[in-house]
Amino acid sequence: MKRILLTIFLLAAQSAFVFAQDPFIKNFNTTNGLYTNNVYNAFQDSNGFIWFASRIGAIRYDGINFKLYDRSDGLDGTIVLRIKEDSFGRIWFINYNGSVNYLYNNQIHNTSNTPFLEKLKTGIHYTTFIEENDGD
């Protein structure tokens, strides 16, 4: 009986020194560097960058700075609805105007410099896309 009480006491004493982890949550807005407060989608890529799809383009956060990708960088649309990454490391942007672009090797690929993207353009916007197992 003494052994059981001692065990219960030791377990109770040990639990007094165990602390739960505090979740780390950071809110981004225009006061701390985000280009807009209107974000449609957030995505973290395989390199750890956090991407935000917004009405003014795609915004990349590297942990310190924000970078805006918009029409001046080569996007076919201003309003980006969704951002995803494929198995090749390309970052894809689904635009409200029905166009699709991707970033690869620090270059935006659009309908002007990557002709097959013109075939993907629709009159309505995509909501998402998937990649087949064979990498297509």
Side-chain angles (χ1 to χ4, degrees):
M1 182 66 164
K2 288 182 183 182
R3 180 172 260 177
I4 292 174
L5 289 175
L6 180 62
T7 303
I8 292 172
F9 174 76
L10 289 174
L11 287 174
Q14 181 181 12
S15 66
F17 298 104
V18 176
F19 301 100
Q21 294 179 354
D22 290 327
F24 179 76
I25 298 172
K26 179 146 180 137
N27 291 316
F28 298 111
N29 56 43
T30 55
T31 60
N32 59 14
L34 191 61
Y35 286 87
T36 179
N37 288 327
N38 298 322
V39 171
Y40 303 123
N41 175 248
F43 170 77
Q44 185 169 13
D45 70 18
S46 61
N47 292 315
F49 295 119
I50 300 175
W51 292 87
F52 302 96
S54 77
R55 62 183 175 82
I56 61 169
I59 304 163
R60 184 185 74 188
Y61 179 64
D62 64 7
I64 299 170
N65 299 305
F66 292 93
K67 175 170 178 21
L68 175 66
Y69 292 88
D70 58 15
R71 283 188 182 269
S72 67
D73 297 296
L75 287 181
D76 285 324
T78 301
I79 302 172
V80 178
L81 297 176
R82 176 88 58 189
I83 301 173
K84 287 193 161 193
E85 182 177 18
D86 67 15
S87 61
F88 298 102
R90 296 177 293 198
I91 306 297
W92 289 83
F93 309 103
I94 299 175
N95 304 315
Y96 181 74
N97 67 1
S99 64
V100 179
N101 304 121
Y102 67 90
L103 175 71
Y104 190 64
N105 291 330
N106 294 316
Q107 179 185 357
I108 297 282
H109 293 261
N110 55 37
T111 54
S112 297
N113 61 23
T114 309
F116 84 88
L117 291 175
E118 185 66 43
K119 295 177 184 176
L120 299 178
K121 191 171 182 178
T122 66
I124 59 172
H125 63 270
Y126 294 96
T127 55
T128 192
F129 64 91
I130 59 172
E131 181 179 14
E132 295 177 353
N133 289 335
D134 62 359
D136 291 337

